[in-house]
Amino acid sequence: MTDLDGRLPEILDSVAGGVTVLDRSGTLRFANDTAARLLGLGSASEVIGKSGAELTSGFELLDADGKPLPEEQLPTRRVLFGEDVAEAMVRFRRRGSTHDRFSTIRARLLRGERAEDDLVVTAFTDISSLKRSEARLRFIAEASAILGESVDYAATLSRVAEICVPQLADWCVVDVLEGTAGIHRLAVANVDPQKSALAEEMRSRWPPDLESGAIHRMLQERRPVHLADMTPDLLAAAARDDEHLALLRRIGIRSVLVVPMLARGEIVGALSLLQAESERRFGREDIELSEELGRRAGEAVDVARLLFEAREIARNRDEFLAVASHDMRTPLAAVRGYAQLGRRQIATGEPDLVKLDGWLAEIDGVVGRLDKLVGEMLDTSLIHGGRDVPLKTTRTDLRQLGEELLERLRPLSPQHRFVLDAPEQGPAGEWDPDRLERVLQNLLDNAIKFSPDGGEIRLRIGAEDEIAYAAVSDQGVGIPAAERELIFSARYRGMNAGGITGTGIGLAGSRRLVEQMGGMLTVDSRVGAGSTFSVRLPL
Amino acid sequence: MGAQTTLREAVSLPGSELEDATHAMNAMVVEDDAALRSIYGDALREFGHEVRTARDGQAALEILDSGWTPEVVFLDLRMPGMDGWEFARRLRSKPGLDGARLVVVAAHVHIDREARELGADAWLQKPFDLARLDEQARQAR
């Protein structure tokens, strides 16, 4: 049999938990390697002979709830002062640090033959990582609860940023992608209220950069960007200029973590976490936790946006119905009017058949107009729903179409001069005449609407290199460059809805129809000088 | 103010079909839709009134400037060129015309509110019974 006694220290050193042995005087007689490490000392031999009080003096001791724990409450002390066995969960932190550790401590008295031979054996187990897991779960639960409270994601994300500090990081910055409008800095939270001026400066003076930097990299690589140690060189490289560098230095950035905010596989924003005054570094666990938070935040943004869109659609539909009913009542009024005139005529006993025939012909014409209106409403509905319109193509003469349209518009807008600029023999192709008329009507209506002071409205029709074109020019207010593509979006039309032609297909719908016919619709404009909308169609 | 209480959609009154030439009025129709303009004009003439029609506010003003004085004006609101709101303002500021009966004739949903804001005497929502044109004309004085 091997002699175990001699190898006991070696055996105890291989135990995962910490083990210490004190005598009655409170002097440390033995400590295994784990204990030395947990106590923050180099090796066991350094601690032998020291008093227990000396060893704990370098720590702040707290109970499970985070309240200061008097030394006499420590299990080892309690056993020294009379109890046989004592247990406790203790939270401790090296003085001056913000990093908490958690340990369960169990002390037991081993009685000797004489009282001075008594020993106190203390076993302690580090449960810091378990505690951190618990805290992470609580954190995610808390963040989810906040995110679920309201669909005002600007408000909920600001609050989430606030709970990120100090638990997860010293600074938390939330940026949300706004489609084509770029990125919007929604929140900056920091652990030290003394530094809120820095936070405000960061928010207002240094908008998020989509061209370079950690957020840019995260968006490119579509995964977290982790800069564990922010060296002075890295900091200088990240700064956009000297003033920015000075700000980053004042913040004292040590470690950086940028994670995506994800929804349905798309990045909707960036969650940037910074460590500064706590001198912590982000580790693997932090990345996982932050990614989870990013996913939940992204989903919250997504849900809020979907809800907003749904409400917008409902509102647009209501408006559409109001305008549609208005637009239909005018022709209905004419039908009713002719019918009543006819009945009164018959009631005279000697009806004027020529008059009657004229009114019936008018009714016929008005019903044709109503039918067109209903067709246009259905097209608008299809286009808004993102569906294709069933085209009815036939040989269509572009010049003839343009001529008829101008003929109809001339009396309606006497302050405009309508000019048709087309060759004798207009281009003709296989297009849908009703839809093409609708598009040109829309462009001409816009030309009238946006040149309220009158002027010339020119419809130029022709063909060139197998492409037919119809271009509507006005001398009106023009369109600022920034809005030139925006006006073709369905949303823009939505913002403009409510006008008298609100059931019309709009520019978005016009472009869709032209594209469905294999062509394109473009705009050229100068503010104050007018706009030209050009339809190009393959011949 | 009487406008709030007297302003209501015109209703058919018994006996309104009786055409009494002694009550013929000067009636003006301001309406951009050509078909409705001719229908309302024809109907009012049939009821025995003297009628002038205009396709927008500007054309209506020209008729007023020619010296013809309407006792009742049937006014559409949404018209290209000078709209009904602008024309109503001008009409009310013309000496001798501020007493003309103003009847708003329109298709949109909030016609009652708009008629009230305009200070109109009555409103008719399209489509309506042509007899109402006569009822309204006869209430002018």
Side-chain angles (χ1 to χ4, degrees):
Chain A
M1 288 286 279
T2 319
D3 169 24
L4 285 184
D5 285 359
R7 300 184 69 181
L8 212 51
E10 198 186 341
I11 291 168
L12 288 173
D13 275 345
S14 32
V15 171
V19 178
T20 59
V21 181
L22 279 80
D23 62 21
R24 266 281 170 217
S25 70
T27 305
L28 196 73
R29 299 287 297 275
F30 173 80
N32 72 352
D33 279 350
T34 310
R37 206 179 59 246
L38 288 175
L39 289 166
L41 297 162
S43 71
S45 56
E46 286 176 43
V47 291
I48 309 287
K50 296 196 175 186
S51 77
E54 250 180 291
L55 291 172
T56 51
S57 65
F59 296 96
E60 277 180 73
L61 301 171
L62 306 164
D63 66 14
D65 299 325
K67 295 193 199 80
L69 182 76
E71 275 210 45
E72 54 273 22
Q73 297 282 313
L74 283 173
T76 313
R77 292 304 168 90
R78 279 156 57 195
V79 169
L80 277 172
F81 288 101
E83 290 177 46
D84 281 349
V85 178
E87 279 182 339
M89 206 277 284
V90 178
R91 179 170 166 180
F92 58 101
R93 137 181 354 144
R94 189 176 290 284
R95 291 195 192 279
S97 150
T98 54
H99 196 53
D100 287 353
R101 299 199 73 85
F102 296 82
S103 188
T104 55
I105 300 177
R106 184 173 191 275
R108 191 175 156 223
L109 182 69
L110 292 185
R111 289 184 195 282
E113 281 175 23
R114 296 167 301 167
E116 56 261 44
D117 292 335
D118 286 353
L119 294 172
V120 178
V121 177
T122 307
F124 38 107
T125 309
D126 187 4
I127 55 164
S128 301
S129 73
L130 190 69
K131 279 284 167 191
R132 279 201 299 275
S133 297
E134 268 177 38
R136 278 197 296 275
L137 284 174
R138 264 202 313 276
F139 174 74
I140 283 292
E142 190 186 352
S144 300
I146 291 174
L147 289 169
E149 266 172 29
S150 151
V151 289
D152 177 1
Y153 66 80
T156 56
L157 286 178
S158 295
R159 282 176 58 206
V160 166
E162 278 160 23
I163 64 160
C164 280
V165 296
Q167 179 154 349
L168 194 56
D170 297 334
W171 288 72
C172 177
V173 181
V174 182
D175 296 303
V176 175
L177 291 171
E178 308 268 18
T180 51
I183 193 163
H184 174 58
R185 181 143 290 173
L186 209 62
V188 179
N190 59 311
V191 67
D192 181 357
Q194 304 276 310
K195 290 188 178 168
S196 25
L198 285 183
E200 192 41 49
E201 201 181 335
M202 182 141 124
R203 197 185 148 102
S204 58
R205 283 197 59 196
W206 310 104
D209 187 2
L210 286 178
E211 306 299 318
S212 64
I215 292 174
H216 165 77
R217 220 178 96 196
M218 182 278 287
L219 292 173
Q220 291 292 306
E221 297 173 4
R222 303 180 60 81
R223 56 189 174 86
V225 169
H226 179 209
L227 304 166
D229 276 294
M230 215 47 194
T231 59
D233 284 352
L234 276 175
L235 205 61
R240 281 180 245 171
D241 56 42
D242 289 348
E243 279 184 81
H244 192 213
L245 181 59
L247 177 79
L248 297 181
R249 281 190 181 137
R250 267 188 292 158
I251 292 172
I253 299 176
R254 301 297 179 98
S255 191
V256 174
L257 178 58
V258 179
V259 297
M261 282 162 55
L262 283 170
R264 291 180 290 162
E266 292 295 317
I267 298 177
V268 298
L271 199 64
S272 305
L273 300 161
L274 309 175
Q275 301 292 27
E277 44 270 76
S278 70
E279 304 189 6
R280 287 177 289 182
R281 300 282 186 273
F282 290 113
R284 197 171 46 78
E285 287 173 348
D286 296 314
I287 300 176
E288 282 167 11
L289 179 63
S290 308
E291 277 191 285
E292 180 61 28
L293 183 63
R295 271 191 293 274
R296 295 192 186 211
E299 280 163 13
V301 170
D302 194 44
V303 165
R305 286 181 174 169
L306 286 174
L307 187 68
F308 178 81
E309 274 171 35
R311 285 180 180 157
E312 193 78 346
I313 288 167
R315 198 179 58 80
N316 280 345
R317 181 148 297 179
D318 289 349
E319 248 169 46
F320 182 83
L321 282 174
V323 177
S325 63
H326 169 270
D327 286 0
M328 294 185 75
R329 273 180 175 150
T330 300
L332 281 174
V335 170
R336 187 168 191 189
Y338 287 125
Q340 290 189 359
L341 286 178
R343 292 190 66 197
R344 300 180 75 87
Q345 188 60 224
I346 290 165
T348 61
E350 287 173 29
D352 181 336
L353 291 181
V354 177
K355 269 191 176 175
L356 271 181
D357 182 57
W359 292 333
L360 289 173
E362 290 287 351
I363 289 178
D364 205 17
V366 173
V367 170
R369 263 164 59 201
L370 259 174
D371 186 44
K372 255 189 186 170
L373 193 63
V374 171
E376 182 162 12
M377 286 176 191
L378 290 175
D379 276 6
T380 306
S381 172
L382 281 176
I383 290 169
H384 273 207
R387 280 161 294 171
D388 276 352
V389 166
L391 293 179
K392 290 189 198 123
T393 53
T394 179
R395 196 78 189 154
T396 307
D397 188 320
L398 203 51
R399 185 201 154 100
Q400 198 188 330
L401 198 63
E403 228 172 329
E404 285 169 11
L405 274 168
L406 291 191
E407 235 20 78
R408 235 182 311 163
L409 284 172
R410 257 185 208 114
L412 295 179
S413 189
Q415 73 269 37
H416 290 98
R417 208 165 54 255
F418 292 90
V419 178
L420 179 67
D421 179 353
E424 282 299 309
Q425 204 61 38
E430 291 297 316
W431 307 307
D432 182 327
D434 288 347
R435 268 60 183 246
L436 205 48
E437 181 187 328
R438 206 163 286 167
V439 169
L440 293 178
Q441 173 88 52
N442 183 238
L443 299 181
L444 287 163
D445 284 346
N446 281 344
I448 293 170
K449 196 153 78 182
F450 294 104
S451 54
D453 297 331
E456 184 187 278
I457 292 178
R458 178 176 292 262
L459 176 57
R460 214 163 53 82
I461 286 172
E464 216 176 73
D465 302 331
E466 295 302 298
I467 301 282
Y469 60 80
V472 176
S473 305
D474 64 55
Q475 297 175 328
V477 293
I479 304 155
E483 283 173 38
R484 257 167 239 167
E485 275 308 301
L486 216 59
I487 54 171
F488 290 104
S489 71
R491 205 174 184 141
Y492 188 86
R493 196 209 151 271
M495 289 190 284
N496 266 352
I500 200 155
T501 55
T503 51
I505 47 174
L507 281 172
S510 295
R511 178 174 265 187
R512 279 281 301 281
L513 282 179
V514 173
E515 284 172 356
Q516 249 193 275
M517 286 184 246
M520 54 201 276
L521 171 59
T522 54
V523 64
D524 191 25
S525 184
R526 272 195 13 240
V527 174
S531 309
T532 298
F533 284 86
S534 306
V535 175
R536 286 189 185 76
L537 292 164
L539 272 170
Chain B
M1 292 295 288
Q4 203 94 359
T5 49
T6 57
L7 186 70
R8 59 183 199 280
E9 189 170 16
V11 291
S12 284
L13 298 169
S16 64
E17 296 290 306
L18 295 173
E19 285 160 28
D20 181 352
T22 61
H23 279 84
M25 296 286 169
N26 278 357
M28 180 186 251
V29 174
V30 190
E31 164 68 63
D32 67 317
D33 187 276
L36 290 180
R37 201 161 60 235
S38 99
I39 291 168
Y40 297 157
D42 284 357
L44 283 161
R45 275 185 206 102
E46 234 191 272
F47 289 124
H49 304 290
E50 177 71 26
V51 183
R52 295 280 191 282
T53 61
R55 71 165 167 236
D56 71 351
Q58 187 57 47
L61 281 181
E62 282 162 20
I63 293 171
L64 297 181
D65 289 342
S66 75
W68 188 81
T69 306
E71 289 152 301
V72 59
V73 176
F74 294 96
L75 179 66
D76 187 12
L77 292 180
R78 291 183 179 160
M79 293 179 288
M82 187 192 293
D83 62 24
W85 290 277
E86 175 65 13
F87 174 72
R89 202 180 57 75
R90 304 258 192 126
L91 177 76
R92 288 301 190 213
S93 65
K94 279 194 179 287
L97 284 169
D98 45 348
R101 183 171 178 81
L102 182 61
V103 182
V104 166
V105 176
H108 47 280
V109 189
H110 302 298
I111 178 173
D112 51 339
R113 200 180 62 209
E114 291 182 351
R116 197 171 293 132
E117 284 166 6
L118 211 64
D121 297 290
W123 52 273
L124 291 168
Q125 182 163 42
K126 296 172 188 171
F128 54 85
D129 192 321
L130 294 181
R132 294 189 181 177
L133 290 170
D134 187 42
E135 291 159 18
Q136 287 300 315
R138 281 164 196 284
Q139 285 179 49
R141 64 187 77 89

